[in-house]
Amino acid sequence: MAADPLKILVYSDNARTREKVRSALGKRVHPDLPELSYLDVATAPVVVTTIDEGGIDLAILDGEATPTGGMGLAKQLKDEVATCPPILVLTGRPDDAWLASWSRAEAAVPHPIDPIALGEAVAGLLRAAVD
């Protein structure tokens, strides 16, 4: 029997960014992990409500989203949600990794999205989450 898909929340105000994330990760990020399912979210209030309700295995937040950036949103989620899933932040540039660390995100990948770097980061976070 196949494992239930892992649910990935992808937040960005830009539909193209959300599409790039889904395209980079595909249906399965690694053969050892279950398939992925995606929930696209364009607004911060929906992210907060959805994470608070539970059932999300990983949140990918766009640090360049407006009006609420993913780093501030990551910090808010980590501060306010007791059972917050792992968070990966998409940063504007590699030098912004320190901001992602401040936000308490478990990982950061810079724009433009590199499918290999994103896949490796997501696989690492999901392995830790399902173990």
Side-chain angles (χ1 to χ4, degrees):
M1 185 165 123
D4 289 337
L6 296 171
K7 193 161 199 175
I8 312 295
L9 181 145
V10 181
Y11 164 70
S12 179
D13 65 313
N14 185 324
R16 188 156 165 75
T17 298
R18 296 190 308 266
E19 158 44 43
K20 285 180 182 177
V21 168
R22 289 190 318 274
S23 177
L25 295 175
K27 289 292 267 174
R28 188 179 295 265
V29 72
H30 192 276
D32 296 345
L33 292 167
E35 285 190 6
L36 305 178
S37 70
Y38 298 97
L39 175 63
D40 279 13
V41 179
T43 65
V46 174
V47 171
V48 173
T49 300
T50 303
I51 295 293
D52 197 37
E53 289 171 353
I56 300 296
D57 295 296
L58 172 69
I60 299 175
L61 309 178
D62 183 3
E64 300 299 298
T66 59
T68 305
M71 285 186 252
L73 188 53
K75 181 139 179 38
Q76 177 184 350
L77 291 168
K78 291 296 185 175
D79 288 348
E80 296 176 2
V81 179
T83 56
C84 189
I87 295 175
L88 181 146
V89 174
L90 302 172
T91 61
R93 56 198 180 113
D95 291 346
D96 291 338
W98 73 272
L99 283 169
S101 177
W102 163 85
S103 75
R104 298 176 50 203
E106 284 81 359
V109 173
H111 283 285
I113 294 168
D114 174 345
I116 293 173
L118 183 62
E120 288 174 353
V122 166
L125 292 174
L126 289 175
R127 266 195 206 94
V130 298
D131 284 345

